[in-house]
Amino acid sequence: MRAVIVAAAVAFVISLFGTPVAIRVFSALKAGQPIRSLGLASNEGKKGTPAMGGVAFILATLVAYVAGHLALTTLPERQIAQEKPTMTALVLLGLFVFCGAIGFLDDFLKVRKRNSDGLSAKGKLLGQAVVGTGFGIAALYVASTNGQTVASEHISFIQDISWLNVGKVGSVMVFVFVITAMSNGVNLTDGLDGLATGASTLVLAAYALIGYWQYRHWCADATYARANDYCYQVRDPLEIAIIAAAAAAACVGFLWWNTSPARIFMGDVGALGLGALIGGLAVATRTTLLAILIGGLFVIITVTWVIQIVSYRTTGRRVFRMVPLHHHFELAGWSEVNIVVRFWTIAGVCVAAGLGVFYSDFLAAVG
């Protein structure tokens, strides 16, 4: 537990004090976020606010992960945790960094062109598919010494569903879908000051708790497994907890500067990176279907966006005033702060419900 706390503390401090540095750097580079004229009150006064702030919390998470591993060399946890970076860490942090890099390219093109057109939608999807496929193959085909892989050939809910075996190729496809869907879900949610950051913090904190709980009830822990029938067949759950806690804490530090009125935006570099990390955490913890509930806010915003697109293209009618969904409520007269706080509340309820389902399964199994 202390290694998780160390990683979280380091990430928070670096993000809190590093984000102002990013604000000055990106402001000096005139990397202001181009704002489309959509007639939204939230867009007023935001032109020129530096973007690409996601770089700050991505770097903070990477440094914090190293700090957490250094802490393991002097803590009891190291008896059943690898001191060197594991494949789980490489997959999760790789998704964070490389999908963030796709977002960085998108942000860079927006700044360079001085308009809101960056990478095309097809370009983003192609990049996400390539990254997802690469790390999906690593997650499915690179096993630890005991034969455990980061991902599974089964679809999972709270653990693998035994009768839903999709094979290695099918599992890589599922992996790509989860990464792409969650990455774009967080990106769609990023539109109001602090909205995506706060919601991501809650989801990442949930996965930190899940990862640590799985670590304390881990099948690879011979002492625990011998005394208990119920354990979690995952790979490197302590790594999962360290990374999720570090990312959550880094987001909190960033939120200090990102909340309304935002001094800096996370940009696509932050949104795509966070979404990919959350998707990776869902796969690594064997909670792929449960992620629909834990990340409920992202799902709601994505589904309503799809409904709007399908409705308009098939009937010429809009179901909502504007999508993503938060803009619908802006046009309905809600203030930006009200929307953000209420959507955070929805995200918190979804996270609490997801954790409740996760823990209820454990109680039912051991009760």
Side-chain angles (χ1 to χ4, degrees), residues 104 148 209 254 264 273 326-327 358:
F104 184 87
Q148 188 69 50
L209 291 173
F254 180 77
I264 189 170
H326 37 276
H327 294 322
F358 178 83

Side-chain angles (χ1 to χ4, degrees), residues 50-189:
M52 305 184 190
V55 171
F57 56 71
I58 290 176
L59 291 176
T61 302
L62 295 176
V63 175
Y65 170 74
V66 175
H69 256 260
L70 290 176
L72 283 178
T73 61
T74 58
L75 297 179
E77 284 106 325
R78 77 188 186 94
Q79 296 175 2
I80 56 173
Q82 297 185 38
E83 295 174 18
K84 295 181 180 180
T86 62
M87 180 53 63
T88 301
L90 294 176
V91 168
L92 294 178
L93 294 176
L95 288 170
F96 201 15
V97 170
F98 282 92
C99 281
I102 296 170
F104 184 87
L105 178 59
D106 184 49
D107 291 332
F108 174 78
L109 291 175
K110 290 176 182 177
V111 171
R112 186 176 181 181
K113 295 177 182 178
R114 297 298 174 186
N115 60 46
S116 57
D117 296 326
L119 279 175
S120 66
K122 291 182 180 179
K124 286 183 186 179
L125 289 174
L126 178 61
Q128 291 166 329
V130 170
V131 172
T133 300
F135 286 104
I137 291 172
L140 264 296
Y141 287 87
V142 181
S144 61
T145 53
N146 63 358
Q148 188 69 50
T149 55
V150 178
S152 168
E153 295 182 32
H154 297 78
I155 303 296
S156 60
F157 178 53
I158 295 174
Q159 295 216 44
D160 285 341
I161 302 173
S162 59
W163 53 272
L164 273 181
N165 189 321
V166 294
K168 287 186 179 296
V169 174
S171 187
V172 171
M173 295 173 65
V174 171
F175 186 93
V176 172
F177 175 79
V178 171
I179 298 307
T180 302
M182 194 62 74
S183 185
N184 287 309
V186 176
N187 197 27
L188 287 172
T189 305

Side-chain angles (χ1 to χ4, degrees), residues 28 37 46 75 92 114 117 202 213 221 254 274 288 295 327:
S37 179
K46 294 187 178 182
L75 297 179
L92 294 178
R114 297 298 174 186
D117 296 326
L202 294 170
W213 185 263
D221 182 353
F254 180 77
L274 283 174
T288 303
H327 294 322

Side-chain angles (χ1 to χ4, degrees), residues 275-340:
L277 174 60
I278 291 170
L281 289 167
V283 173
T285 55
R286 306 293 197 269
T287 58
T288 303
L289 296 180
L290 186 63
I292 297 172
L293 180 56
I294 293 176
L297 178 65
F298 305 136
V299 174
I300 291 169
I301 288 177
T302 302
V303 169
T304 53
W305 181 82
V306 172
I307 290 172
Q308 181 86 325
I309 298 300
V310 172
S311 176
Y312 186 74
R313 289 183 177 179
T314 55
T315 69
R317 297 181 179 180
R318 293 181 173 88
V319 179
F320 307 97
R321 290 180 174 93
M322 185 181 290
V323 289
L325 189 60
H326 37 276
H327 294 322
H328 166 84
F329 290 104
E330 273 194 281
L331 293 178
W334 291 21
S335 70
E336 180 177 9
V337 173
N338 276 342
I339 296 170
V340 170

